[in-house]
Amino acid sequence: MNDLTDPVAADPTEPVDEAAALRPRAYAGQCEMCGAKGEFVGTSLGARESFPCPTCRATLRYREQAGAILTHFGRGRFSFFTRFVRFPECQTLAILEAAIRGPFTRYLKGHPGYVQSYLFEDVPPGESRDGVVCQNLEAMTFADESFDLVITSDVMEHVADVGKVVAEVARVLKPGGAHVFSIPLKFPLRDHSQARARLVGGEIEHLMEPRYHRSGTDTPSLVFTDFGRDLVDLHARHGLRATFHRSHPFVKRLVHSAAVIAVRP
């Protein structure tokens, strides 16, 4: 695990055409998500969305998150997530995931402490649709110290006020708990996060050319923030210690993929 200020992670390199560099790449390994062994093949989608598991199809960003969870909670006993979920180390955890689909939702279904959330526009906060509870991450309805683990996958860049989300996550995490999340990152990181858009009086004001990703419901979702090094300071102000987790030395040269784990001491 590397600190966000790790000089290796931040060392300037020559510009890399990541898509072109990944296409011919492959490596043999084991999936941190399902444990399958095989060949992980690069694609033109970039490192984060590349190297899918040949069995469960989890891409690099999900597998980095699984590795971060195993490192923090598994304490060296587990090499892949689907094994971890069957043991007391996981079964006793209270887990919140802000997603309606993805590999974690698939493998955590039926977990006794698992809560799945999504921000539905037509469902009141705290109420559920099809087993998924409506939550605004900037103002969650959960009690203080409700969860051991919070998982968000490419969500943080889409919230209007990242500071409010970090404060809320810090509030609902138990001591020793962690928020494990993925966000688009490009190294070397800029010193300061850059706002691409903001809310002013309830209206969106674009500060840069609008960028959209696909949401969990396959609708366009606006990117509000491109993150920089001050992500560490933002977490520290709310009592969380943020670090990188990268478990794939083969792709470390491209340094465009890492999970972030923010721990409440």
Side-chain angles (χ1 to χ4, degrees):
M1 183 180 294
N2 296 320
D3 194 326
L4 285 168
T5 57
D6 183 345
V8 174
D11 185 34
T13 59
E14 292 297 320
V16 174
D17 181 346
E18 187 175 318
L22 287 171
R23 276 194 294 272
R25 302 278 182 163
Y27 69 97
Q30 182 178 29
C31 177
E32 293 88 347
M33 187 67 73
C34 74
K37 296 180 180 179
E39 186 178 49
F40 296 80
V41 181
T43 73
S44 60
L45 298 177
R48 307 174 66 251
E49 304 294 351
S50 199
F51 301 105
C53 170
T55 298
C56 74
R57 307 308 296 170
T59 55
L60 185 63
R61 66 181 173 95
Y62 285 112
R63 293 189 288 112
E64 294 279 26
Q65 287 178 275
I69 292 169
L70 295 175
T71 296
H72 185 71
F73 293 100
R75 304 185 185 280
R77 288 193 60 201
F78 307 95
S79 58
F80 55 94
F81 188 77
T82 56
R83 177 174 172 80
F84 172 63
V85 297
R86 301 195 298 267
F87 283 78
E89 286 88 340
C90 183
Q91 288 288 301
T92 57
L93 296 178
I95 302 172
L96 170 66
E97 183 182 11
I100 57 175
R101 64 184 182 187
F104 291 114
T105 66
R106 185 161 66 247
Y107 296 128
L108 287 170
K109 287 288 189 184
H111 182 286
Y114 179 57
V115 176
Q116 198 175 350
S117 79
Y118 192 79
L119 181 57
F120 299 108
E121 293 183 0
D122 57 345
V123 177
E127 296 189 13
S128 298
R129 169 183 289 168
D130 299 326
V132 180
V133 63
C134 181
Q135 289 291 312
N136 180 351
L137 295 180
E138 296 180 9
M140 289 187 271
T141 65
F142 303 114
D144 295 357
E145 300 184 4
S146 292
F147 298 102
D148 299 285
L149 170 62
V150 175
I151 303 171
T152 64
S153 303
D154 280 24
V155 171
M156 297 288 280
E157 69 271 26
H158 298 293
V159 299
D161 193 326
V162 178
K164 286 184 178 179
V165 177
V166 174
E168 279 291 274
V169 168
R171 181 183 67 80
V172 303
L173 277 178
K174 299 178 184 180
H179 177 202
V180 175
F181 63 99
S182 65
I183 51 175
L185 292 168
K186 190 169 184 178
F187 293 89
L189 288 173
R190 58 171 59 90
D191 289 335
H192 302 285
S193 298
Q194 191 167 19
R196 302 188 63 87
R198 63 186 178 185
L199 283 181
V200 180
E203 299 292 327
I204 294 174
E205 177 184 341
H206 294 285
L207 306 174
M208 302 174 63
E209 184 70 23
R211 179 183 297 162
Y212 296 88
H213 298 159
R214 303 299 294 180
S215 73
T217 55
D218 284 327
T219 56
S221 182
L222 179 67
V223 175
F224 277 88
T225 306
D226 291 336
F227 290 100
R229 289 179 177 276
D230 55 351
L231 182 66
V232 180
D233 300 326
L234 174 60
H235 281 82
R237 288 197 294 272
H238 295 284
L240 301 178
R241 182 172 57 86
T243 56
F244 275 143
H245 181 95
R246 286 183 293 174
S247 52
H248 299 82
F250 177 82
V251 295
K252 188 173 181 178
R253 182 183 67 83
L254 297 173
V255 291
H256 285 185
S257 180
V260 182
I261 179 167
V263 177
R264 178 181 172 183

